[in-house]
Amino acid sequence: MIFTNNNGVACRVDGETRGIKGKGTIAGISCGTEPYLYDSIGFGVNTATGIIANSAAKFGAIYNSIGYSDSGEGISASLIDVIGCKGYSGGLSGISYSTGTIIDSTGYSSRGIGLRGSRCILTNCSGYSEDGLGSEAGIDLTNPTQVEACAGYGSSNSSGIKISSTGVVTQITVSNSSGYGQNGLELIQDQTAGVASTVSTFLNCSFTSSNEAARIERIDPAKAEFMNCSFYTTSDISYCINGVAGTPVDIKYSNCSFKTGDTSVGTPLNNVNQTITNTTDNQRNTYI
C-alpha cells in the first residue's frame, strides 16, 4: 500500500507491518511502541524524516527498509533494532540511532553524517558522507559500546569514523573496522563528564586519510589502545597519529604499522606519548 500526506505523517504503524510506502511532510512512516516494520519505504519531504521510531518504542525492529529525506534524516530510531536497512539524506543523517543494536545497515548523506549513533552496538554497518561540513563524518558515534566490522567514508573535509566519549561508558571496543577521510579516525575523550574512565580499544582496524590517520583530542588524560592496526596518510606533512596541539595524549599502541605519503614508514607520532612500559616476557608475550 502507498500512503501520502501533504501536511503531516503519511502512515503510523504498530505491530507487524510489511511492504508499505509512505511520503509525508513530518514523516513518511512513524513507528509506535511495539513496531515490527518489514520491507517498507518512507520518504520525508524537505526536512521531514523518512522512517522514525522515537523513544516511546518499548521493543521491536525495523527490517530491510529504506528511509529517504530531502534534507532531514533518512531513518531515525531509538531502542528498537535496525537490521538490513538503508537511510539516505540530502542534509542531515542517513541513519540516526541510539540505545540498542544496528546490524547490516548503511547510512548515506550528501551533506551531513552518513550514520550517527549513541550508546549503541554496530555490526557490519557503513556510513558515507559525500560532502561533510568539517565536523561531520561517515560514521559519527557518541559513547558506543561495541563496533564490529564497520566502515566509515568521509569526504575531503570530514572524518571517516568519529567517536566521542564522555566517561559514562567504561569500555568502547572497535574491531575489524576502517575509516577513510580527511581524518581516518577522530577520537574525542572527555573523562571529566562522568565518574567512569572510558577506555577505547581498537583491534585490527585501519585508518586512511588525506590529513591525519588518527586524530586524538582529550579533556582529561586519554585512555586508548591500538593493537594490530594500520595508519596511512597521503599527506607529506601530516602524522599518522596526532594529538591536538597543546593537549598531548597518552595512549598504548602495539603491533601497528604506519605509512605517510612521502616515505614508506613515516613519523608515527606527534604530541602523543607511548604508555606501554612492559617488555616481552620469555614466551614473547607483550602485555598492554
Side-chain angles (χ1 to χ4, degrees), residues 20 28 52 70 72 118 149 174 208 210 228 254 259 280 287:
I20 64 171
I52 187 169
D70 289 325
S118 64
V174 181
T208 303
S210 59
N228 301 320
S254 175
K259 184 179 179 181
T280 304
Y287 295 92

Side-chain angles (χ1 to χ4, degrees), residues 92-154:
L92 295 180
S93 303
I95 297 178
S96 179
Y97 186 75
S98 66
T99 316
T101 302
I102 179 169
I103 302 171
D104 298 333
S105 297
T106 300
Y108 173 87
S109 179
S110 59
R111 290 184 58 80
I113 296 168
L115 194 158
R116 181 202 301 268
S118 64
R119 303 181 302 280
C120 56
I121 296 174
L122 269 69
T123 303
N124 197 32
C125 294
S126 299
Y128 299 82
S129 176
E130 182 180 350
D131 186 21
L133 303 177
S135 62
E136 281 81 357
I139 296 178
D140 189 332
L141 305 174
T142 302
N143 292 328
T145 56
Q146 181 177 330
V147 180
E148 169 67 25
C150 293
Y153 301 86

Side-chain angles (χ1 to χ4, degrees), residues 59-194:
F59 56 83
I62 303 174
Y63 294 95
N64 302 321
S65 296
I66 302 173
Y68 296 90
S69 178
D70 289 325
S71 56
E73 294 181 332
I75 297 176
S76 178
S78 299
L79 300 176
I80 66 175
D81 293 337
V82 174
I83 301 172
C85 293
K86 296 179 180 179
Y88 301 87
S89 172
L92 295 180
S93 303
I95 297 178
S96 179
Y97 186 75
S98 66
T99 316
T101 302
I102 179 169
I103 302 171
D104 298 333
S105 297
T106 300
Y108 173 87
S109 179
S110 59
R111 290 184 58 80
I113 296 168
L115 194 158
R116 181 202 301 268
S118 64
R119 303 181 302 280
C120 56
I121 296 174
L122 269 69
T123 303
N124 197 32
C125 294
S126 299
Y128 299 82
S129 176
E130 182 180 350
D131 186 21
L133 303 177
S135 62
E136 281 81 357
I139 296 178
D140 189 332
L141 305 174
T142 302
N143 292 328
T145 56
Q146 181 177 330
V147 180
E148 169 67 25
C150 293
Y153 301 86
S155 65
S156 59
N157 60 349
S158 60
S159 299
I161 297 177
K162 180 180 178 181
I163 295 178
S164 302
S165 61
T166 58
V168 298
V169 179
T170 57
Q171 181 69 46
I172 297 171
T173 301
V174 181
S175 58
N176 304 303
S177 298
S178 54
Y180 309 85
Q182 181 185 35
N183 302 304
L185 169 68
E186 185 177 357
L187 178 63
I188 302 172
Q189 294 186 312
D190 181 1
Q191 307 288 19
T192 64

